Amino acid sequence: MTDGLLCGWRIRSDIALPELLDWQGDDRIPDLVVRLGEVDERLPEGREISPLLQIDGTGAGLLQVPMVGRFLVRPSGGITIAPQPEASEAEIRLFLLGSVLGMVCHQRALLPLHASSVAIDGGAVAFCGPSGMGKSTLALRFAQHGHSVVSDDICVIETCEPPRVRPCFPRLKLWRDTMEDAALSPEGLERNRRGQEKFHFRAPHAGVREPLPLRAIFLLRRAGSGEGEGIQRLAAPLDIMAALEAETFRLQVGHALGRAETLFQARALIANDVPVYRLTRRADAQPDRWLDAIAATIRG
Amino acid sequence: MALSSSSEIVRRPHPLEAAIGDTRVLLDVEQGLYFGLNGIATSIWQRLEQPVRVSDLCCSLKAEYEGEAARIEAEVLAFLALLDARKLIEIRA
Amino acid sequence: MSGLTLIASYPKSGNTWLRAFLASHLRDGRPIDLNADLSEVPNLTSRSLQDCHAGLEHSDLSRQEVALLRPLTSRRIAREQPGFYKTHDSNLVPPGAREPAIPPDAIDRVVCIVRDPRDVAVSAAAHFGWSLDDSVDRMADTAFCIGHSPRRLNANVEQWISSWSAHVESWLDAGGVQLLMLRYEDLLADPLESFTQLCRFLDLDDTRHAVSRSLEESRFSALAGQEARGGFRERSRTSTAPFFRAGKAGEWRTALPAVLAERVVGTHSRVMARVGYG
């Protein structure tokens, strides 16, 4: 099996990762190595960070998903998975390329935002917001208009100047209703979880290989009663900092790994360099209605 | 500890700090609270890096900013009281 | 107060009224904004709250995993964000789980609201957009759960409700927790007395003046008026009527066909008698 490309890393894996682009870089030793093997139920001297996750003093993490398996994630990049016998490969990849990827980002002092992102005019535009607010839906609609999907759940930000997004993979997790609204059929697609009407859709355009400058962040929110729709730039530094903190993927994991300061500085760098907008929509807003306005906002 | 012109002021250890535009942003990780400082507040905050007596702080501010000594002292004390309430400084003696 | 203080009920039994009252009462009797201030008594099963404390997205979990995870998350919320919460969870152990979603050690105290199941059937039909027939059937269904919508994301995580009888008894017989049972009908018949009892149980201001003021701010006509003007975000998307619809007791006598009323009694007579519905 050929190695894959994930956020700039060379990844070698015992299980197939069809979402990823092939590694075409140098012949370095793989940055991440995924193996199937035994994983103990407890991490010796591990501290419980959340109900299903422990982290120990060396920065290793153990994620346990009852019907999927155990994932041991070492800071060296070694990842061991002990799957439950009934787990499907899609289910294993869901957590490997989700929670585990988030942990790897924190181990490596990157800033993972809970965001979908797409490429617009050679830069990445990120959409953040609570579940159900339409992050993946917006990314899908941009993809249908010819834009590459840079990331789905996790937008991995490298804090250089200007901040850059390391592309994940062009796969979107979409509910049946969202797909049908976009005139797509979920027929033949892998399910997010067995029996769930949520599917793994691979965007049609070639994924992105190289990091892209982060052009803008949109915080998606729902209009309250009597409130109008619109795009508004956040101006107050404290508002931007608090919003970026709230949108950090697995913030508690980052803190447990001693990244509070790095994450804070990363937020400050973004606050200085990247415009952050609040995009307020009504619950019944048509997804396509905002594409032009978003593009126009970015182009200023 | 009561705050007066003879008090010595020390920053409490380690709020995280960064400049965003003209604003100095502080984060107290333990309390999870952000603070934004602008203009003269930033300048006072910077002078608290080493322990300093309130009267000395006021003198140095007076040398840099035009202003009446009594007014500067009143404003400095008010600002320090704010920092103290948010547990960003410690007041000694 | 430590741990979770629950306003627990089967759906459509008066929970939102109590929340509205508390929203005003906890803020010294101030007027409430229906779409903002009910957050004084947030929904424990809100997806964002659960995701935040579980450290992952419930939309990536199977139903059995959610059932296994919920008690762990409840304990975490009890520790890190104790306070008042609304819930429709039963106090039963869902299939595949080892304990109820909100285990006793996470609970500080419980206010359990019950309402005549015949009125619940009428109200639930309008709320969920069901026929009266379906409504009566679901209330008898010991496998009934909410917060699960297969085709799209639900704003709540899954809650194991069970049948009306099993739900009510699961709270009435909850061991090891302080419990106050209130009947919706009593709240309507003598609000001052019942809400005073509520305040006393919750260690809140129970003076006549304070209780009346908060009652005034949360009266049915005020809530219904706000919904008519600005909508209500917690209204079900399949609903066929306003959320604040009737706010009455005994509506079933005219709204529920006799055969369905008898079916409700047939199924739930023992528990109905236990809580005084003849």
Side-chain angles (χ1 to χ4, degrees):
Chain A
M1 212 182 310
T2 47
D3 293 346
L5 169 69
L6 175 64
C7 303
W9 298 307
R10 178 174 194 164
I11 178 168
R12 181 164 295 170
S13 172
D14 277 357
I15 61 163
L17 303 172
E19 294 88 342
L20 304 191
L21 300 178
D22 286 344
W23 175 258
Q24 293 176 355
D26 53 30
D27 58 0
R28 71 176 73 170
I29 302 165
D31 302 285
L32 302 171
V33 178
V34 180
R35 290 211 176 81
L36 296 174
E38 298 284 308
V39 175
D40 286 341
E41 194 176 332
R42 294 248 9 131
L43 198 55
E45 289 164 50
R47 209 155 56 84
E48 192 192 272
I49 304 305
S50 56
L52 304 179
L53 179 71
Q54 306 159 42
I55 286 180
D56 73 10
T58 71
L62 172 63
L63 171 74
Q64 307 198 61
V65 187
M67 347 253 329
V68 178
R70 298 190 188 121
F71 300 76
L72 174 61
V73 188
R74 295 185 192 83
S76 61
I79 299 166
T80 310
I81 306 174
Q84 288 294 320
E86 71 271 27
S88 72
E89 288 216 343
E91 288 175 315
I92 295 169
R93 295 196 322 268
L94 169 67
F95 289 94
L96 175 63
L97 299 175
S99 293
V100 169
L101 173 58
M103 203 185 312
V104 171
C105 289
H106 285 302
Q107 284 171 335
R108 288 164 190 243
L110 296 165
L111 167 63
L113 277 188
H114 195 179
S116 298
S117 64
V118 296
I120 299 179
D121 296 349
V125 176
F127 304 107
C128 301
S131 288
M133 215 44 76
K135 300 184 289 285
S136 299
T137 308
L138 264 183
L140 170 66
R141 297 305 178 117
F142 273 107
Q144 289 184 307
H145 285 78
H147 297 273
S148 297
V149 172
V150 180
S151 62
D152 187 8
D153 265 349
I154 311 177
C155 179
V156 181
I157 298 171
E158 191 179 289
T159 40
C160 43
E161 275 190 72
R164 297 192 304 177
V165 174
R166 293 193 179 192
C168 283
F169 40 83
R171 179 268 274 153
L172 298 169
K173 287 153 51 179
L174 300 170
W175 289 91
R176 178 182 283 277
D177 277 10
T178 307
M179 297 200 71
E180 291 178 354
D181 287 348
L184 292 169
S185 162
E187 215 53 45
L189 297 187
E190 283 179 318
R191 286 173 193 268
N192 193 53
R193 295 300 302 270
R194 265 162 305 162
Q196 196 181 37
E197 295 286 296
K198 191 180 187 184
F199 300 88
H200 289 183
F201 172 74
R202 289 191 211 140
H205 305 282
V208 179
R209 291 192 163 270
E210 298 299 324
L212 297 175
L214 177 60
R215 288 286 296 275
I217 295 173
F218 288 84
L219 310 167
L220 308 184
R221 58 189 292 276
R222 193 146 290 166
S225 57
E227 193 188 350
E229 298 186 295
I231 295 174
Q232 197 186 24
R233 182 163 176 180
L234 292 194
L238 295 193
D239 289 348
I240 300 175
M241 292 295 273
L244 293 175
E245 177 170 330
E247 301 299 347
T248 301
F249 188 78
R250 309 290 190 257
L251 181 69
Q252 295 317 320
V253 174
H255 284 180
L257 289 169
R259 298 294 181 214
E261 167 122 45
T262 335
L263 289 168
F264 173 79
Q265 294 302 343
R267 293 196 284 275
L269 189 72
I270 294 173
N272 268 312
D273 285 354
V274 181
V276 177
Y277 302 94
R278 194 173 273 149
L279 169 50
T280 306
R281 299 183 296 171
R282 278 204 303 270
D284 57 357
Q286 283 303 313
D288 272 349
R289 183 161 114 60
W290 288 95
L291 302 189
D292 290 343
I294 289 167
T297 302
I298 298 158
R299 288 166 190 152
Chain B
M1 185 67 66
L3 182 62
S4 76
S5 65
S6 61
S7 314
E8 191 182 52
I9 306 299
V10 196
R11 277 192 203 172
R12 285 190 192 269
H14 311 314
L16 303 175
E17 208 177 318
I20 300 174
D22 296 334
T23 306
R24 197 89 206 149
V25 173
L26 310 181
L27 170 61
D28 182 323
V29 181
E30 262 172 42
Q31 304 179 69
L33 294 177
Y34 284 94
F35 307 97
L37 305 177
N38 285 81
I40 193 160
T42 309
S43 150
I44 296 175
W45 178 252
Q46 278 161 348
R47 281 161 219 254
L48 298 177
E49 206 163 343
Q50 299 298 323
V52 64
R53 204 158 291 285
V54 174
S55 50
D56 295 343
L57 176 64
C58 293
C59 278
S60 87
L61 287 165
K62 189 169 185 306
E64 192 176 326
Y65 299 90
E66 306 277 299
E68 210 187 305
R71 216 184 111 208
I72 289 185
E73 187 179 300
E75 287 186 9
V76 165
L77 287 174
F79 177 62
L80 292 175
L82 206 73
L83 292 179
D84 181 45
R86 293 172 181 183
K87 299 193 174 73
L88 291 169
I89 55 169
E90 192 183 320
I91 300 165
R92 290 183 188 160
Chain C
M1 213 181 275
S2 70
L4 308 174
T5 299
L6 300 175
I7 312 297
S9 73
Y10 193 88
K12 308 313 291 174
S13 300
N15 206 312
T16 305
W17 184 18
L18 250 75
R19 290 168 72 205
F21 171 85
L22 289 171
S24 176
H25 205 67
L26 292 167
R27 296 177 313 122
D28 304 318
R30 269 185 282 166
I32 51 167
D33 173 346
L34 191 53
N35 283 306
D37 298 329
L38 291 190
S39 61
E40 292 283 333
V41 187
N43 191 341
L44 184 68
T45 55
S46 133
R47 184 170 295 275
S48 50
L49 178 77
Q50 292 282 329
D51 279 0
C52 171
H53 286 277
L56 44 66
E57 292 71 40
H58 288 72
S59 58
D60 285 337
L61 299 179
S62 69
R63 297 172 78 168
Q64 189 184 340
E65 283 165 350
V66 172
L68 285 165
L69 178 59
R70 289 224 29 220
L72 309 180
T73 309
S74 291
R75 291 196 177 94
R76 196 163 270 266
I77 299 173
R79 203 164 59 231
E80 290 172 7
Q81 218 175 308
F84 292 101
Y85 290 93
K86 158 215 170 155
T87 187
H88 291 313
D89 281 302
S90 65
N91 190 33
L92 298 165
V93 181
R98 291 183 277 270
E99 47 187 347
I102 316 170
D105 56 284
I107 298 174
D108 177 69
R109 58 193 91 177
V110 182
V111 178
C112 168
I113 319 167
V114 294
R115 182 182 188 185
D116 188 317
R118 292 163 293 195
D119 278 339
V120 173
V122 175
S123 181
H127 178 72
F128 291 110
W130 298 333
S131 68
L132 289 169
D133 241 292
D134 283 348
S135 194
V136 168
D137 284 348
R138 295 235 160 86
M139 290 176 66
D141 181 2
T142 53
F144 180 48
C145 61
I146 58 174
H148 176 80
S149 39
R151 296 168 62 93
R152 66 163 63 82
L153 195 73
N154 192 297
N156 290 294
V157 299
E158 277 136 39
Q159 303 141 65
W160 183 254
I161 308 287
S162 190
S163 72
W164 181 86
S165 288
H167 188 281
V168 168
E169 285 207 301
S170 76
W171 284 116
L172 293 188
D173 298 333
V177 297
Q178 291 188 69
L179 182 116
L180 173 71
M181 188 199 83
L182 293 172
R183 299 195 322 160
Y184 182 73
E185 294 74 13
D186 297 337
L187 296 173
L188 278 173
D190 190 351
L192 190 60
E193 166 59 30
S194 325
F195 280 87
T196 300
Q197 206 186 341
L198 170 75
C199 291
R200 208 165 290 150
F201 177 72
L202 295 176
D203 297 329
L204 300 174
D205 186 348
D206 62 353
T207 55
R208 192 186 172 88
H209 168 73
V211 174
S212 328
R213 193 178 47 186
S214 304
L215 269 173
E216 179 60 18
E217 294 303 338
S218 54
R219 68 191 187 280
F220 184 84
S221 59
L223 303 180
Q226 277 197 37
E227 184 186 10
R229 285 190 299 277
F232 180 38
R233 61 201 294 179
E234 295 184 20
R235 181 172 176 259
S236 158
R237 47 183 300 144
T238 49
S239 182
T240 56
F243 186 93
F244 298 99
R245 197 180 48 87
K248 288 186 295 204
E251 201 195 2
W252 64 271
R253 290 177 202 280
T254 50
L256 197 65
V259 55
L260 290 182
E262 279 158 26
R263 215 156 87 207
V264 173
V265 175
T267 313
H268 303 291
S269 57
R270 191 179 56 77
V271 178
M272 283 177 75
R274 187 174 165 193
V275 289
Y277 298 125

